[in-house]
Amino acid sequence: NRYTPLMRSRALASLGTAPDAHVAEQTGIPVTTIYKWRIEAKITPYRLHRATAQYLDLLRQHPEGLTARQVSAAMRVTRQGAYVTLHSLAHRGAIECVTLPNPRRYGGWAHILLWRLPILQEVTHATRN
């Protein structure tokens, strides 16, 4: 086995929380190995519910973010239903909530909650002198 215990433990911690291909990409381990480890550990595969995929597709189309009211109108669900789903997705880390000051309410003291996909930060490496 050419994988260190640290690499294996990191991969095993991610199994079932993301697709096998995504875990393989993040760890640098082949997908077939990740698949085999997941089966051996008796971990069910990661699957998105159809409604969850629709929420993520909608937010992918609007990178600046949407309010819960806009999401509920687009998804044709109640605002409370959209709010619960958005919170559960944010809790899992799939989306993020951003607060912006609302200049039209209370002189900017009130805020607007926008839901969007997380913005990935580019990794920069230090240069050696």
Side-chain angles (χ1 to χ4, degrees):
N1 190 355
R2 61 182 198 171
Y3 303 111
T4 64
L6 179 62
M7 290 174 68
R8 187 177 174 103
S9 66
R10 284 185 182 166
L12 287 174
S14 300
L15 294 179
T17 62
D20 291 346
H22 182 70
V23 174
E25 181 182 317
Q26 295 296 321
T27 58
I29 299 172
V31 177
T32 54
T33 304
I34 295 293
Y35 175 77
K36 181 181 167 215
W37 288 352
R38 184 177 54 73
I39 297 299
E40 287 173 356
K42 295 183 169 96
I43 298 172
T44 59
Y46 175 80
R47 291 202 194 335
L48 279 180
H49 189 273
R50 187 178 332 133
T52 301
Q54 290 173 346
Y55 276 85
L56 295 177
D57 287 341
L58 176 66
L59 292 175
R60 199 171 289 116
Q61 294 170 12
H62 301 278
E64 69 283 350
L66 294 171
T67 64
R69 181 173 284 170
Q70 292 168 326
V71 170
S72 68
M75 297 295 293
R76 296 184 178 178
V77 297
T78 64
R79 193 169 38 173
Q80 292 82 5
Y83 193 73
V84 168
T85 303
L86 291 168
H87 268 281
S88 69
L89 289 172
H91 182 70
R92 282 194 284 170
I95 63 173
E96 66 183 1
C97 181
V98 180
T99 58
L100 299 174
N102 186 355
R104 291 190 265 159
R105 299 213 44 201
Y106 306 110
W109 287 99
H111 289 84
I112 299 172
L113 296 177
L114 293 179
W115 303 91
R116 67 178 186 198
L117 294 176
I119 297 174
L120 300 175
Q121 301 293 327
E122 287 188 29
V123 178
T124 58
H125 300 283
T127 57
R128 298 179 92 177
N129 292 335

